[in-house]
Amino acid sequence: MEFIKELGTVALGTRIKNLSESLMRDMVNIYKEQNIDFEPRWFTFFQLILKKKEVSITEIARELNQTHPAVVQVMNVLEKKKLILTNKDKNDSRKRVIKLSKKGRQLAEELAPTWEIVHMVSNEILEESAPDLLDKISKVETVLHNKSTYFRIKEKLIRKAIEKMEFVEYSESYLNDYRQLNEDWLSSYLEISEHDKKILSDPIEQIIKKGGHIFLLLSENEVIGTYTLQRKNHTICELSKFTIKKGFRGWKLGELMLNHTIDKANELNFENIVLFTHPKLKEALQLYIKRGFEITPEYPEIKDKTGRCSLFLQYNIN
Amino acid sequence: MEFIKELGTVALGTRIKNLSESLMRDMVNIYKEQNIDFEPRWFTFFQLILKKKEVSITEIARELNQTHPAVVQVMNVLEKKKLILTNKDKNDSRKRVIKLSKKGRQLAEELAPTWEIVHMVSNEILEESAPDLLDKISKVETVLHNKSTYFRIKEKLIRKAIEKMEFVEYSESYLNDYRQLNEDWLSSYLEISEHDKKILSDPIEQIIKKGGHIFLLLSENEVIGTYTLQRKNHTICELSKFTIKKGFRGWKLGELMLNHTIDKANELNFENIVLFTHPKLKEALQLYIKRGFEITPEYPEIKDKTGRCSLFLQYNIN
DNA sequence: ATATTTTACGTAAGTACTTACGTATAAATT
DNA sequence: AATTTATACGTAAGTACTTACGTAAAATAT
């Protein structure tokens, strides 16, 4: 056990598990020695049924933080041992109503003194060692409920990953990545128009040579985002093909990319960024508006060549 | 989860288990999303092997508080995945020496940043909720190490059982119980002599009618102990057939019975209790001596009729 | 030296879960 | 009213353990 202690916080889970397992094992032995056919993991089930009189499978699962198949299996065992009775619910025939049988109630009565002692002993142990352990555990539960371990780790991993990301300008070698990413995105949200196909199949000719720019966001050499700036005239550029790879969404990379977009447009001496989008792409719209884009009437000289986007936005640099 | 909280201390084990399971589940997802073929329960194994460089199965089991088959199975998985190398120990061919393979070391390196983050997050969670949780758990561990839950519960159960026990004087209906208990005891320690058989087959004739007494200790109508006082003369009685049923030993019922013996001998106006015993019955001897019996030379008028006991003890009432 | 006990590990079989899926029924939406 | 979605439960298959047992080697006792 020494090593686990050494590991400290990181092995908290393992340590806690060991503790609970040792408690369970002790209880197994207690029941065994008393020659009572009862297993410790039934305890909470019994208590819950005793309290509620009648419960359904899902109710038990929810209250005891178990999966429903686990509950079903335990209930089947208890039913086989004739400790519970189960019937269909009169109002909802999907439900199985569970209650203690006479034998079950008798067993609970027989065990009551033992449970009483277990209770005393648990309190005794806690008083001797850590009287406020339950409070502490409640607090951990609350903190984790508000923001799970998963979420916390994820957050930090993402932050770290973002630090290593970089933008690069398009070159021939990214053709496949650029096209693939945009086709994936387009086909899952809208339709790929002829105009899209033209641009995606030859960006150099269609964008770059016409004074436009394409930027790619790289994470460890993987292309995870793209956007395209087309030159409309000497002051206006059009933003399009703004997409982030599946699996990297939800990391606020949109903000990162949009900031980069504005910086670049500025560097390239454009004064206005305009874009067309579809109202059903709510998250994108929200992002643009949050960053200062405004929905305005279309400029007569700039048309949506795809013919599918009803919203026109623009952003004034400076 | 509400109900489990309601249960308080009694469901501490369940609650703790849920906590650790949720931590584990989160880690499973973290590894899965990073596309790393690693499972959280391997973590402590990896750490231990990293630290010790070379370990045996039992060493791991001991340090991580696992059963050895569990360790064997995990190691087989890790070996199949080529993360560890195992060889026979040169000095002790029973042992299997385990170390990380190159692939294993690489994986550990690859995971180090993630583990670092997990560490940070664990600390963060604890700081937010219960900074001294680890200390508290250590204290619980220590307290349980000194006196296990099992032992504590057992102790209280026994005390409760003893309260309900009672002594009754022998009557015909106890013949089988009396004989069975003594035969079981005799046959497992010594031999059943002819003299024993005579007494055990007809206690009324052999003991009671000769002015002796037999007392039985009952626990919920079950005969769990017996002793016999034979009248030697008007001041001396001989204690024999002092036995406690298997499964009830180690509860200090011997003291209870011996106190009763002395009380009864006193009530019956005897002045001396004598007994023969065999030196190999060390616990019994200790009990007698603790209660004030003394090893003395035999009285010429009192002989050990079984011929097997070399020790003669006596106790002076008053 | 020889016999006995302990240790180190392996394996088989069982158990208590899990995930993944299927099937009714109820509730909500259109 | 008809369709879709959600809920309640069941089952099958897999996994991560457990206990129980076996075997060989080492340590200890005789």
Side-chain angles (χ1 to χ4, degrees), chain B residues 17 25 56-58 62 68-69 72-73 94-96:
Chain B
K17 204 176 152 203
R25 231 190 316 267
S56 69
I57 298 285
T58 337
R62 200 172 40 239
H68 86 264
V72 169
Q73 286 162 32
R94 293 169 306 174
K95 283 189 184 167
R96 183 171 156 196

Side-chain angles (χ1 to χ4, degrees), chain B residues 30-37 110:
Chain B
I30 291 288
Y31 293 127
K32 204 183 276 170
E33 280 196 13
Q34 291 197 72
N35 262 318
I36 294 175
D37 185 19
E110 185 189 347

